[in-house]
Amino acid sequence: MENLMITCVSKPPVVIPTKHENLSEFPQTQTKHTFSYTKNNTNPKFTDKHLKYLARKGRLTEAVNALDSIALSGSEVRPNTFIDLLQACIDFGSLELGRKLHARIHLVKESDPFVETKLVSMYAKCGSFADARKVFDKMSEKNLYTWSAMIGAYTRESRWKKVVELFFLMMEDGVLPDDFLFPRILQACANCGDARTGRLLHSLVIRLGMVGLTRVSNSVLAVYAKCGKLSSARRFFDCTKGRDRVTWNSMLLAYCQKGDSDETYRLFNGMWGEGIEPCIVSWNILINSYNQLGQCDVALGLMKEMESSRVSPDVFTWTSVISGLAQNGRRWHALFLFKEMLLAGIKPNGVTITSAVSACASLKVLKMGLEIHSTALRMGITENVLVGNSLIDMYAKCGELEAARQVFDLIEEKDVYTWNSMIAGYCQSGYCGKAYELFIKMQDSDVKPNVITWNTMISGYIQNGDEDQAMDLFQQIERDGKIRRNTASWNALIAGFVQLGAIDKAFGVFRKMQSCSISPNSVTILSILPGCANLIAARKVKEIHGCILRRNLEFVLSISNSLIDTYAKSGNILYSRSIFDGMSTQDIISWNSIIGGYVLHGCSDAALDLFYQMGKLGLKPNRGTFLSIILAYGIAKMVDEGKHIFSSIIDNYGIIPTIEHYSAMIELYGRSGQLGEAMEFIEVMPIEPDYSIWTSLLTASRIHKDIALAVLAGERLLDLEPGNAVVSQLMFQIYSLCGKLDYSSKLRKLGEENTLRSLGHSWIEVRNTVHKFITGDQSKPCTNLLYSWVQNIAREVNIDDHHGGFFIEEEEKEDTGGVHSEKLALAFALIGSPSSPQSIRIVKNTRMCKNCHLTAKHVSLKFGCEIYLSDTKFVITKCKETLLETTTSFSMLEHTCKIEVSGSPARTWNLNC
């Protein structure tokens, strides 16, 4: 849906009804009063009685006029009468008339602190906090009620630190709190985390003998509970007599905040033991404690249990469970529960709507998001900034930027998150220009950009390939001195450079970050590690690992998992296993990473052993586990076992296989030469075969010399990607071998355009610098030395390059295309070193040919070094997240060529080493 229009209900002007029309009849200018000194004969009692009558009826304008008449007559008003008038202003919310009464306070018979206290209360409750504080500060005499009024005013404004400050001023004035004021001050300590003042108040409560008052003692307990002083809270709780529901709920909340759901549950059951039936608040605290720990099923069970206990879940119960499901990745379940909530007749609040909309954003389900938006419109809460922000995010992630902008424009009181959500939406969709326009507009608004705004812009530019603009913004952040870069600012650059493949630049930022005394966090590490997942980055992985140890990040589960994966892909599976064995806790990602690492290195036995261990430990495998295991069975040529595990994915685990699983099955059949079964499997697949399926079949056909299937698979690949030069190169060779001179028009056209040549590229790290070589390249300064070395080695190896029979390579032969890039890289590594290196690591963009493979074997034997080569599997570029790279290792110590293969039958060279 491209041009999404959001139908917004236009609201008529809101008319606030009033009880008395004359409340709005305020004079615009202050009345100048004149006073008569003639003796007044009016009965004062009658006057006070009349004023009290006007106060009760809310006829405050008449009361002001009556006061003016009293002033003219030279009479005065009793304090209690004036207090009644001020109370009427509070009751009817009339600040303007309250100010007029304040102007006539001189009519009160004598200075009365209770009148001034009521005046403070009137200003505070009518919304003029500044006036309340002015009156309070000018008072010469402040009693307990005065302090209570001012503290109450700050409490209603949630200005907790001010309440604590007033408490100390009150003590200096010699006024002690009473049992009414103590809970308010204690509440302030709890909400601002001031446990020290809370302890002082606790001692004062004991000295004043108020610890036995339930309301006061509950407030003391709440301070310890909310400030995280769990042991103090528990001691106080255990010593408290006459505990009520509030007492128990405070203790439940303390353990809930601590994340101790077991003790929370024990306390909850203990309430029943004392004859106190848990109320809705008790149930909500318990349910929320399990949601916070991700134990959503337990929370759902408790919700059903509370219904059976005849306690109906309220909006907070539903919201807690829906939010818990959404935050723990169970978004579809959260949305289902949201619908169930509506059917139950429970009206959602802003937090419920926000949680449901956020779930829609993550799932990118626009239709359901529109339905929830309609619900929010009917409820009239779309102007809620939290709801509006979540709607902007949802529409942006669903690609409906116009709809997101409409919601953005409709929010009148935008906060920084509103602006950031819209800017992020533009950046994520690649519209950095529009994001920048909004960014500039934000700087001119009342809401100024914060560091998150800057980071969003930096991330947006660099992820869309504009690293220069990203760097400019990075430099500009601290220009005005108001905003400072944080760790996320550096992380945005690092992640962006890794995404662009500029690993050296990413490492430059990573090192500069540390030199600027900015400590890398777990996000930094997880951003840069994927850039080191190749053979030539082994030293960089160790550098990052050292940083992890210095920062004490090795116990972060996600970092350990990433290290296992990165070490495996950089050629060090032993380090991967060491990290795995040293982990105190392991999740499914940990197991998948180490199993995938062993598959990557061709160690099918180790991978399968780990899989069997998972079963013994009762761990449930997921899609990633099954993909690695099918590949492991393929390497081991255990076809029946592989077929069985594939069937169990659906039958035993209820998991729907993805295209990657089907591709792995073709490799399973292909490695064992069962090409007929592979073709039958493709024909009965419930999903359309994609590029990876036909590539796996083509590779297996080449290895097992089934030319008919090779032609079929190759032509399917050309239909899917007619411009792929490597496939075209392979098909030329296949057509030549089978004598099919009248090859397809697609290949003929490509040949005429001379676009079939597939150049090999190789990368090697020497002396901490990565060098790139291209097949046939003669532009290097040391070209003569390199080519001379290659020629000498070729004479020593004496390889017959005319293989005969069925042998197809991805790269052109050297006599037509030039010396292959991996040979040049090998030569550079050996010529550039004063002594033979212990190991040589090369990354190549195409598969190594037989000639180069035998050359590498000879070099390994001659120079006594290990050679590792990883050749990127070009045919699965569309599903990189499941790509398993291949490492080929040549070990001098074993006097043999050890080939570690995974991911594709193409990784198997049929050589007798």
Side-chain angles (χ1 to χ4, degrees), residues 285-544:
I285 293 171
L286 183 63
I287 289 170
N288 191 50
S289 70
Y290 284 103
N291 279 322
Q292 288 178 353
L293 294 173
Q295 299 180 30
C296 300
D297 289 329
V298 178
L300 286 165
L302 286 169
M303 189 173 171
K304 293 179 180 177
E305 187 179 334
M306 72 183 289
E307 289 175 325
S308 63
S309 299
R310 292 179 296 180
V311 178
S312 299
D314 63 3
V315 63
F316 300 105
T317 318
W318 287 92
T319 300
S320 174
V321 177
I322 290 169
S323 299
L325 290 168
Q327 291 168 9
N328 287 283
R330 298 173 62 175
R331 299 180 182 91
W332 283 114
H333 197 166
L335 293 174
F336 172 79
L337 206 65
F338 177 78
K339 285 190 172 183
E340 195 174 313
M341 174 185 180
L342 296 177
L343 292 172
I346 303 296
K347 185 179 179 181
N349 58 23
V351 178
T352 328
I353 295 290
T354 300
S355 298
V357 171
S358 297
C360 293
S362 299
L363 296 169
K364 297 182 180 180
V365 283
L366 179 61
K367 183 179 179 182
M368 193 165 291
L370 284 166
E371 291 177 4
I372 298 172
H373 190 177
S374 299
T375 302
L377 283 169
R378 288 194 298 271
M379 293 172 55
I381 61 172
T382 51
E383 293 180 0
N384 181 310
V385 71
L386 289 176
V387 174
N389 293 348
S390 64
L391 286 169
I392 292 169
D393 182 59
M394 185 271 293
Y395 283 123
K397 287 181 177 175
C398 292
E400 299 294 340
L401 290 177
E402 290 184 11
R405 186 57 187 262
Q406 288 182 40
V407 175
F408 174 83
D409 291 337
L410 287 170
I411 299 175
E412 293 183 4
E413 298 294 330
K414 299 178 180 68
D415 62 9
V416 69
Y417 302 105
T418 314
W419 290 90
N420 288 351
S421 297
M422 195 66 241
I423 289 171
Y426 280 131
C427 288
Q428 290 164 4
S429 299
Y431 296 105
C432 291
K434 290 187 176 182
Y436 189 75
E437 290 175 7
L438 204 61
F439 177 65
I440 297 299
K441 187 177 179 181
M442 182 181 183
Q443 295 180 43
D444 296 331
S445 72
D446 295 333
V447 182
K448 302 301 178 186
N450 61 6
V451 70
I452 297 174
T453 321
W454 285 89
N455 293 345
T456 301
M457 290 299 304
I458 292 168
S459 182
Y461 272 114
I462 198 165
Q463 288 181 6
N464 285 285
D466 193 344
E467 60 182 81
D468 292 334
Q469 185 66 25
M471 287 301 298
D472 287 344
L473 286 170
F474 183 79
Q475 299 295 340
Q476 291 174 26
I477 292 180
E478 298 186 354
R479 186 166 295 173
D480 58 3
K482 294 180 181 178
I483 297 176
R484 298 188 63 83
R485 300 186 198 104
N486 60 8
T487 306
S489 311
W490 297 84
N491 291 348
L493 281 181
I494 291 170
F497 280 126
V498 170
Q499 180 180 312
L500 294 175
I503 308 305
D504 289 338
K505 290 182 179 180
F507 257 85
V509 175
F510 178 68
R511 289 162 182 157
K512 181 68 174 175
M513 172 186 187
Q514 295 174 80
S515 69
C516 292
S517 301
I518 304 296
S519 298
N521 58 16
S522 57
V523 177
T524 318
I525 302 301
L526 294 172
S527 297
I528 199 167
L529 270 176
C532 306
N534 58 72
L535 287 178
I536 59 174
R539 292 183 181 179
K540 290 183 173 66
V541 181
K542 291 183 179 179
E543 179 184 337
I544 297 171

Side-chain angles (χ1 to χ4, degrees), residues 98 132 268 283 692 696 825:
F268 182 81
W283 282 100
S692 64
S696 298

Side-chain angles (χ1 to χ4, degrees), residues 496-790:
F497 280 126
V498 170
Q499 180 180 312
L500 294 175
I503 308 305
D504 289 338
K505 290 182 179 180
F507 257 85
V509 175
F510 178 68
R511 289 162 182 157
K512 181 68 174 175
M513 172 186 187
Q514 295 174 80
S515 69
C516 292
S517 301
I518 304 296
S519 298
N521 58 16
S522 57
V523 177
T524 318
I525 302 301
L526 294 172
S527 297
I528 199 167
L529 270 176
C532 306
N534 58 72
L535 287 178
I536 59 174
R539 292 183 181 179
K540 290 183 173 66
V541 181
K542 291 183 179 179
E543 179 184 337
I544 297 171
H545 196 175
C547 176
I548 291 170
L549 295 173
R550 288 192 300 274
R551 305 295 176 190
N552 296 318
L553 296 173
E554 67 270 24
F555 302 110
V556 178
L557 185 59
S558 57
I559 288 179
S560 296
N561 292 342
S562 186
L563 273 175
I564 293 170
D565 180 68
T566 307
Y567 267 124
K569 289 178 178 177
S570 65
N572 202 329
I573 189 64
L574 294 179
Y575 272 39
S576 294
R577 185 56 186 264
S578 176
I579 292 168
F580 177 81
D581 290 338
M583 294 172 67
S584 56
T585 56
Q586 298 152 340
D587 61 4
I588 187 63
I589 299 174
S590 314
W591 287 88
N592 286 355
S593 298
I594 190 64
I595 290 172
Y598 277 121
V599 171
L600 174 68
H601 285 259
C603 304
S604 57
D605 290 343
L608 293 172
D609 285 343
L610 283 167
F611 179 65
Y612 300 146
Q613 286 182 39
M614 282 183 67
K616 291 177 181 178
L617 293 172
L619 296 173
K620 187 177 179 181
N622 62 10
R623 285 187 173 90
T625 320
F626 287 120
L627 177 60
S628 294
I629 295 306
I630 294 171
L631 291 170
Y633 280 127
I635 295 169
K637 297 186 178 180
M638 300 168 65
V639 178
D640 290 338
E641 290 82 353
K643 290 165 64 177
H644 173 74
I645 203 72
F646 181 81
S647 299
S648 70
I649 295 177
I650 302 174
D651 298 340
N652 299 341
Y653 295 92
I655 296 174
I656 300 175
T658 63
I659 193 68
E660 289 81 16
H661 295 93
Y662 289 100
S663 180
M665 285 300 294
I666 303 303
E667 295 187 10
L668 174 80
Y669 288 118
R671 285 181 182 274
S672 299
Q674 298 183 19
L675 301 185
E677 289 84 346
M679 194 62 213
E680 289 177 6
F681 186 83
I682 292 174
E683 290 172 351
V684 299
M685 278 173 52
I687 54 179
E688 189 70 21
D690 73 344
Y691 198 89
S692 64
I693 298 293
W694 295 115
T695 299
S696 298
L697 185 64
L698 173 60
T699 306
S701 303
R702 288 167 52 201
I703 291 172
H704 296 288
K705 304 179 181 180
D706 190 326
I707 195 165
L709 273 183
V711 170
L712 173 64
E715 290 182 346
R716 293 290 183 274
L717 287 171
L718 286 174
D719 289 337
L720 292 170
E721 285 193 16
N724 192 305
V726 176
V727 177
S728 302
Q729 172 71 25
L730 293 171
M731 291 306 295
F732 260 120
Q733 297 178 61
I734 293 171
Y735 284 136
S736 299
L737 285 171
C738 67
K740 189 175 181 181
L741 300 178
D742 185 22
Y743 46 82
S744 71
S745 59
K746 294 177 185 177
L747 285 178
R748 189 184 302 112
K749 184 178 179 181
L750 284 172
E752 291 170 356
E753 295 174 355
N754 195 28
T755 58
L756 282 179
R757 189 177 181 195
S758 174
L759 290 179
H761 296 246
S762 293
W763 294 264
I764 188 170
E765 185 181 39
V766 177
R767 296 177 184 175
N768 295 324
T769 303
V770 176
H771 301 269
K772 179 181 178 181
F773 295 90
I774 302 173
T775 295
D777 185 14
Q778 299 186 14
S779 62
K780 299 285 183 184
C782 55
T783 295
N784 293 335
L785 281 173
L786 296 177
Y787 275 78
S788 175
W789 186 92
V790 171

Side-chain angles (χ1 to χ4, degrees), residues 888-905:
T888 308
S889 169
F890 305 89
S891 175
M892 176 64 184
L893 297 176
E894 299 177 14
H895 299 287
T896 185
C897 177
K898 180 184 177 185
I899 308 204
E900 299 176 346
V901 185
S902 73
S904 166

